[in-house]
Amino acid sequence: MRSHYCGQLNETLVDQEVTLCGWVHRRRDHGGVIFLDMRDRDGIAQVVVDPDTPDAFAHADRARSEYVLRIRGRIRLRPEGTQNPGMPTGMIEVLAKEVEVLNTAATPPFQLDEHGKVGEEVRLKYRYIDLRRPEMIDKLRLRSRITHSVRAYLENEGFLDIETPVLTRATPEGARDYLVPSRTHEGHFFALPQSPQLFKQLLMVSGLDRYYQVAKCFRDEDLRADRQPEFTQIDIEASFIDEEAIMGITEGMIRQLFHDVLDVELPAFPRMTYAEAMRRYGSDKPDLRIPLELVDVDDLMKDVDFKVFSGPANADDGRVAALKVSGGAKLTRKEIDEYTRFVGIYGAKGLAWIKVNERAKGLEGLQSPIVKFMDGIVETLLDRVGAEDGDIIFFGADKARIVSEAIGALRVRLGEDLDLYTQAWAPLWVVDFPMFEDDGGARLQALHHPFTAPSCDVETLRNNPVEALSRAYDMVLNGTELGGGSIRIHDQAMQRAVLEVLGIGEDEANEKFGFLLEALKFGAPPHGGLAFGLDRLVMLMTGARTIREVIAFPKTQSAADLMTDAPGEVSAEQLKELNIRLRQKPKVATDEA
Ligand code: ASP
């Protein structure tokens, strides 16, 4: 139907006849001449319709916003003075010979360039219109280029794209499952996969050797943060590899991706242990674009006459950390109060600070509510953080976890507020995670998942599980975890030991993933892999503000689809077939329910 996309037109095509198909972006009537801005996936082109072509003119005259038209015409240079160099097609226009109305359109719920005036609910309800916006199309186009680059790279490295089931058993990824009732097995349920973890491991047992999949995953979590109940992973697994090999392959994949899609050469990926990341940045996904670091000062604070500091400094699970911000002495009281409120979100009870006005003057040159307690140690403290005139030093003192989280988050916030970034892209690998996490409950939890291999032997693991490290690795970029994975356990004795430490008894293990345990008996090769969160990767690469902007049909914070109105009620008939009776009528009952 068309010869060119609107956005492809330019001066090289002058005098050529073209046929365009698209939507009326804007229509202007200039005293007898009609201007149509025609829009399609690739851009916008100006079409001029004059009364010399009466048929075309009549159709153009009746066209309105978002009508679907087919236009045949000749390209000409725009007259001097009406050219628009800011627009890719701004030097030319199409003089229409034929205008055909392919479809009319009701008045849209919002004008595309006025989308900011309506709430996000309206945009989500009419998502198909929202997606007509060039910015949205650009993001989806980039998403497509990203998966294309990733697929090409992995195929080239010998990975096979293999689909795993969507109707499956609960996977032990730790979140709540989405359940699907089975009609043929009354009272039984499928679970939608939280990840293809066990299937990809089984593919390794099968000898497929290298697997990947752009896989949909489902987690029924409360969507506090910017998350989606269904999201996409680039899921990868390989056999006969160690962490060096798999990290090398996937680092190459991301490097290639940034080169292909953004023309960016990523810098080297440093390696950092989990312990070092927590110590220096208070986070296991540090944003290394920000040159601020947490500095431990527990040893200095043990004897100060200030319980808020000396308490945690002397406690086993305590931490006192300083964060120096160069030039930060200019922060106002109001700003500091806001940061105090901010660290409160992470459980910090306060935020102590010292402004260094003039170091040469000793205590006199410092401004701080706490400096009176620091007599005797203040010089050592200032030296340790490298304080100079004009700096501010913030302090966190509490349980180590709270200090790391709160001051770590403050570090990121200050980086953003004061625009401290030293580089555009800062990738790294975080390694040597603890195997288990003690979240205060009766059982230890797996920090990654129960199939992650520890870096010690069975006996050491059993004797001191809390100290055990895992063979897991996370790839982090600009403070976002892009992907994470591990070398897996392929040895039965080790798998049993890990499950025991987790307090998962034989019955529970057999019930949940007996099929994997059984498969490990039949010649499982050493293997490992990882998964990248595609949505977050696209978000980072497009600079989108929310994950919803890079998903064609996203769900809301309450996990609903406003366009299709899902989840919806089902008929009594359907429920009966599934042998399901609702304990309560749904809140808003519809007629057929
Ligand atoms: N299945 C893991 C996840 O979804 C990733 C992996 O270990 O490969 O987080």
Side-chain angles (χ1 to χ4, degrees), residues 78-89:
R78 290 194 196 182
E80 203 68 48
T82 64
Q83 293 164 338
N84 180 357
M87 194 178 163
T89 62

PDB file of all heavy atoms in Angstrom, residues 78-89:
ATOM      1  N   ARG A  78      10.282  22.459   0.364  1.00  0.00           N
ATOM      2  CA  ARG A  78       9.390  23.477   0.929  1.00  0.00           C
ATOM      3  C   ARG A  78       9.886  24.849   0.477  1.00  0.00           C
ATOM      4  O   ARG A  78      11.102  25.061   0.345  1.00  0.00           O
ATOM      5  CB  ARG A  78       9.442  23.442   2.460  1.00  0.00           C
ATOM      6  CG  ARG A  78       8.800  22.224   3.054  1.00  0.00           C
ATOM      7  CD  ARG A  78       8.585  22.452   4.546  1.00  0.00           C
ATOM      8  NE  ARG A  78       8.330  21.174   5.208  1.00  0.00           N
ATOM      9  CZ  ARG A  78       8.064  21.062   6.498  1.00  0.00           C
ATOM     10  NH1 ARG A  78       8.019  22.134   7.265  1.00  0.00           N
ATOM     11  NH2 ARG A  78       7.847  19.875   7.027  1.00  0.00           N
ATOM     12  N   PRO A  79       8.953  25.778   0.271  1.00  0.00           N
ATOM     13  CA  PRO A  79       9.366  27.124  -0.119  1.00  0.00           C
ATOM     14  C   PRO A  79      10.293  27.735   0.937  1.00  0.00           C
ATOM     15  O   PRO A  79      10.166  27.430   2.139  1.00  0.00           O
ATOM     16  CB  PRO A  79       8.045  27.906  -0.185  1.00  0.00           C
ATOM     17  CG  PRO A  79       6.970  26.885  -0.192  1.00  0.00           C
ATOM     18  CD  PRO A  79       7.510  25.641   0.411  1.00  0.00           C
ATOM     19  N   GLU A  80      11.230  28.537   0.432  1.00  0.00           N
ATOM     20  CA  GLU A  80      12.152  29.294   1.302  1.00  0.00           C
ATOM     21  C   GLU A  80      11.363  29.920   2.466  1.00  0.00           C
ATOM     22  O   GLU A  80      10.262  30.446   2.244  1.00  0.00           O
ATOM     23  CB  GLU A  80      12.778  30.393   0.456  1.00  0.00           C
ATOM     24  CG  GLU A  80      14.111  30.927   0.940  1.00  0.00           C
ATOM     25  CD  GLU A  80      15.221  29.882   0.822  1.00  0.00           C
ATOM     26  OE1 GLU A  80      15.334  29.246  -0.262  1.00  0.00           O
ATOM     27  OE2 GLU A  80      15.931  29.712   1.812  1.00  0.00           O
ATOM     28  N   GLY A  81      11.926  29.814   3.666  1.00  0.00           N
ATOM     29  CA  GLY A  81      11.272  30.464   4.805  1.00  0.00           C
ATOM     30  C   GLY A  81      10.284  29.576   5.540  1.00  0.00           C
ATOM     31  O   GLY A  81       9.915  29.865   6.670  1.00  0.00           O
ATOM     32  N   THR A  82       9.851  28.493   4.900  1.00  0.00           N
ATOM     33  CA  THR A  82       8.912  27.605   5.596  1.00  0.00           C
ATOM     34  C   THR A  82       9.595  26.285   5.958  1.00  0.00           C
ATOM     35  O   THR A  82       8.954  25.357   6.430  1.00  0.00           O
ATOM     36  CB  THR A  82       7.676  27.290   4.732  1.00  0.00           C
ATOM     37  OG1 THR A  82       8.108  26.556   3.579  1.00  0.00           O
ATOM     38  CG2 THR A  82       6.957  28.540   4.298  1.00  0.00           C
ATOM     39  N   GLN A  83      10.923  26.228   5.696  1.00  0.00           N
ATOM     40  CA  GLN A  83      11.636  24.985   6.010  1.00  0.00           C
ATOM     41  C   GLN A  83      11.850  24.863   7.519  1.00  0.00           C
ATOM     42  O   GLN A  83      11.893  25.864   8.228  1.00  0.00           O
ATOM     43  CB  GLN A  83      12.991  24.980   5.288  1.00  0.00           C
ATOM     44  CG  GLN A  83      12.775  24.895   3.781  1.00  0.00           C
ATOM     45  CD  GLN A  83      13.996  25.274   2.991  1.00  0.00           C
ATOM     46  OE1 GLN A  83      14.870  25.973   3.485  1.00  0.00           O
ATOM     47  NE2 GLN A  83      14.038  24.830   1.749  1.00  0.00           N
ATOM     48  N   ASN A  84      11.944  23.619   7.976  1.00  0.00           N
ATOM     49  CA  ASN A  84      12.099  23.359   9.403  1.00  0.00           C
ATOM     50  C   ASN A  84      13.264  22.397   9.622  1.00  0.00           C
ATOM     51  O   ASN A  84      13.086  21.178   9.636  1.00  0.00           O
ATOM     52  CB  ASN A  84      10.784  22.762   9.941  1.00  0.00           C
ATOM     53  CG  ASN A  84      10.870  22.460  11.435  1.00  0.00           C
ATOM     54  OD1 ASN A  84      11.924  22.637  12.063  1.00  0.00           O
ATOM     55  ND2 ASN A  84       9.768  22.011  12.002  1.00  0.00           N
ATOM     56  N   PRO A  85      14.475  22.970   9.781  1.00  0.00           N
ATOM     57  CA  PRO A  85      15.664  22.112   9.876  1.00  0.00           C
ATOM     58  C   PRO A  85      15.656  21.250  11.141  1.00  0.00           C
ATOM     59  O   PRO A  85      16.388  20.265  11.220  1.00  0.00           O
ATOM     60  CB  PRO A  85      16.838  23.096   9.887  1.00  0.00           C
ATOM     61  CG  PRO A  85      16.257  24.465  10.014  1.00  0.00           C
ATOM     62  CD  PRO A  85      14.769  24.402   9.911  1.00  0.00           C
ATOM     63  N   GLY A  86      14.804  21.583  12.117  1.00  0.00           N
ATOM     64  CA  GLY A  86      14.749  20.812  13.357  1.00  0.00           C
ATOM     65  C   GLY A  86      13.999  19.496  13.184  1.00  0.00           C
ATOM     66  O   GLY A  86      13.936  18.680  14.101  1.00  0.00           O
ATOM     67  N   MET A  87      13.447  19.278  12.006  1.00  0.00           N
ATOM     68  CA  MET A  87      12.614  18.093  11.782  1.00  0.00           C
ATOM     69  C   MET A  87      13.262  17.274  10.658  1.00  0.00           C
ATOM     70  O   MET A  87      13.642  17.863   9.630  1.00  0.00           O
ATOM     71  CB  MET A  87      11.252  18.632  11.337  1.00  0.00           C
ATOM     72  CG  MET A  87      10.133  17.694  11.335  1.00  0.00           C
ATOM     73  SD  MET A  87       8.640  18.640  10.826  1.00  0.00           S
ATOM     74  CE  MET A  87       7.605  17.270  10.420  1.00  0.00           C
ATOM     75  N   PRO A  88      13.411  15.963  10.821  1.00  0.00           N
ATOM     76  CA  PRO A  88      14.111  15.172   9.790  1.00  0.00           C
ATOM     77  C   PRO A  88      13.525  15.365   8.381  1.00  0.00           C
ATOM     78  O   PRO A  88      14.259  15.357   7.401  1.00  0.00           O
ATOM     79  CB  PRO A  88      13.932  13.726  10.263  1.00  0.00           C
ATOM     80  CG  PRO A  88      13.657  13.813  11.717  1.00  0.00           C
ATOM     81  CD  PRO A  88      12.985  15.132  11.959  1.00  0.00           C
ATOM     82  N   THR A  89      12.217  15.546   8.290  1.00  0.00           N
ATOM     83  CA  THR A  89      11.612  15.723   6.964  1.00  0.00           C
ATOM     84  C   THR A  89      11.310  17.200   6.695  1.00  0.00           C
ATOM     85  O   THR A  89      10.523  17.533   5.802  1.00  0.00           O
ATOM     86  CB  THR A  89      10.286  14.934   6.870  1.00  0.00           C
ATOM     87  OG1 THR A  89       9.380  15.472   7.853  1.00  0.00           O
ATOM     88  CG2 THR A  89      10.468  13.455   7.133  1.00  0.00           C
TER      89      THR A  89
END
